[in-house]
Amino acid sequence: MNRLRPVWTLLLGLLITLLLFTVASAQTESDGAFRVDRLNALIFMALFSIVILIYTRWAKSGKKLFIRKINGLDEVEEAVGRATEMGKPVLFIPGLQEIDEIETIAAISILGRVAKITARYDTPLMVPVRYPMVMAAGQEVVEQAYIEEGKPDAYNKDIVRYVAGEQFAFTATVNGIMMRDRPATNIFMGAFFAESLLLAETGNAAGSIQIAGTAQPSQLPFFIAACDYTLMGEELYAASAYLSHEPLLLGGLKGQDWMKIILVLSILIGTILLSFGVGDWFYDLYKSV
Amino acid sequence: MIVLAYILLILAGAFLLYMTFRTNDRRYIYLAVAFYVIFPVVLTMQLPIDISPESQQLYDAIAALPDSSAVMLTFDYYASTLAETEPMSRAVLHHMFKKNCRVVTMTTIPLGGPSISERVTRDLAEEYGKEYGVDYVNLGYKANYVAVLKGMGSSIKAIYPADNSGTPLDEIPLMAEIKNYDDLDFICVIADNGVVEYWMSIVNAQYGIKIGSGVTAVMAPKIYAYVGSGQMTGLLGGMKGAADYEKLVGKPDAAIKGMAAQSLVHLFIIFAVIVGNVIYIVERRRGKGRV
Amino acid sequence: MRTTVPVIIAFLSGFVMILAFFFNPEKSFIGRLEPEVLAWVTIVGGFTLLLGVVSIVRVNFTAVKRRKENWPYKLATLISIFAMAIPAILPSSWSPLLGTGTGSIYDWLFNYLDAPMMSTMFAMLAFYIASAAFRAFRARNAEATLLLVTATLVMLWRVPMGEAFLKSIHGDLPQYINTYIMGGANLAVQRGIIIGAAMGAAAMSLRIMLGIERTYMGK
């Protein structure tokens, strides 16, 4: 990881330069080159980055970090094992968003871990996707997983395949796969929309074990109703750290927790101050001008 | 006669629920839902509608605009959610045309968005005798909605050099008066996807223009957050929101008609859940008794 | 080398986007970089579309050729793809039936096949919600009972018949549901999840930019 040190230094350096630039330019209006109205966001972002980097460094130095149990992720291996025993495939859907969506990237990370397990046990894996770019990234990850498990010959390019670009055409295709191929395990990770219940309910009718994870709050109730385990919100982003137990990734989670504490405190302070009618200045700190 | 039909419908629902428990086959529930959706469409029933405060807020915001204000109405939805969203667009557009607003429409949906907006606006414009290019304009679709939403802040013409049918914006009189968001008094976003949040974070937060919206029922709980915080001016949630607005503008249409079906399906689900729970509790007690 | 170059590209692209957020596009070069990067994303996406078409044709064509199980479905997929795409790609100057304008084959297929099929799929949600609610809402424990009661109240409140029933119990009950359940509990939970998820997404983005998180590259 030493090779990454210059990158960190560069990031911090650039952030500090930006801060200095802001102070030096001392603009009072928001129509200059620099958006003074977004200074609050810049300070928060710098603080956030620094806290995460500090914890990542601590983790690197060997400090043990605790991560709470996430049932849905613990069950992934179990669920793939069940598919192996039944001789049926595992179906993995990395959401219905493009690769530029961070939820999709989190899903692709989890796909890598799932592919390693399916490669290890020679369990068939099916990954239908909605976007060609997600397909390219998914193929890369799955191929790497099969190579790392020493089974490059078992890898087939069509494990990850593009099925349809339209939301409900994709849903119809996947529902068809569920009813015809009867996968033993369905894993839905990433950004889902109105199709969440259509997919999960069909999987439930087909008798599959289902694990879902999404950061879309409006779809969580549907997954909770129809799946066996559901990862909520940030649990999805924590998945790669949780599954890999890589200390560097766990460090990031710890930093994130601290930022959440800062946010909760801000909300509490703001609520109290505003309730007593003396919090306008505090409210303005968080507002875009 | 209608009352008798509804009694029969209730009995049919109870029978199908009984069959679900007996056979453990969920298709009986599907059949019951199908009955409850189709039946009120055949035997129309008008139900009294109480206006939600969020719908009233949107209505009041548009009602408070001076006559011939410039407004934007978006058609950010796919054909799949037409049943919920199109009645909203129609009701809001009725209100805008009644108020003699000058309306600019657009969409961020490539598949069907432009043709839906074209159909709805032309249909209503005819009813109110509005002239294309003077009273309303259809901008159509442009790819990459983040860039589109941001770009229209500086110049609508830079993003849309021509309208939906290819007429250059320079040749459209209305667009000579509307250069960017500064020239608009209100935006109403009708959407079935997350683009409504981009309208809030880019257009409302950065350009300070008032935005109201209409979204599908599934999305409504999330979008409530914007109304609660005072960022969004009014919200139509699902078909009920559309029905509210149809009532407010005095144009009862598809949404008000759909309320009977929605009421019956909701009541059936509640009934099924209650019966399911009673059986569950009885079985659990029996199980405990055996132990 | 195989991962270092992508990590550097990811870092630079991410950093440009962050910087651009803090600069005015009209006044500075950095501010104008954001639409440039977004345009690149669209261009790369356009090229990968071809990969998608190749994938879907290869998978389905192989299945049809080998007469695999359910091959007629695959044949239907192949026919549909070409029936929709070819007339849309060909220029409308050849015939009004070509291209994507009003009255074209594409327009006809969209309005009379695609749109009703999409609506049908969405409408199926009503059936699935009924069966999922029926299964999921069981008073197993205190939390599940609370969920059950809340869901029942909201379902009643959202429809005229239910609203009338609630009003018969207490005139202000619908208003209370709107204020306390939707505007209170619902908002608090939604915001909690949104804030948590946004922090998770930001932390993950940072990990990706710094090359700490490389699992998405199969590492």
Side-chain angles (χ1 to χ4, degrees), chain B residues 26 50 150 225 237 266 277, chain C residues 34 137 139 155 158 167 191:
Chain B
R26 65 185 85 190
D50 271 16
K150 280 190 172 176
H266 276 218
N277 272 285
Chain C
E34 192 187 345
F137 291 145
M155 274 198 281
R158 268 328 264 178
K167 272 192 169 171
R191 283 187 184 142

Side-chain angles (χ1 to χ4, degrees), chain A residues 31-33 38 158 166 201, chain C residues 21 24 27 56 58 118 131:
Chain A
D31 59 351
R38 288 179 176 176
D158 294 332
E166 204 282 319
E201 193 59 9
Chain C
F21 181 76
N24 245 329
K27 299 275 169 66
I56 198 167
R58 192 183 55 228
M118 282 196 270
S131 72

Side-chain angles (χ1 to χ4, degrees), chain B residues 103-131:
Chain B
V103 186
V104 180
T105 67
M106 61 153 297
T107 174
T108 54
I109 305 296
L111 211 63
S115 50
I116 295 168
S117 59
E118 194 79 30
R119 178 167 52 78
V120 173
T121 46
R122 293 207 184 258
D123 194 16
L124 264 69
E126 207 173 297
E127 190 181 328
Y128 288 90
K130 300 287 178 186
E131 192 184 336

Side-chain angles (χ1 to χ4, degrees), chain A residues 228-246:
Chain A
D228 298 280
Y229 299 95
T230 306
L231 305 182
M232 288 195 249
E234 62 208 289
E235 286 178 341
L236 173 72
Y237 303 117
S240 61
Y242 189 90
L243 289 171
S244 67
H245 294 287
E246 171 92 39

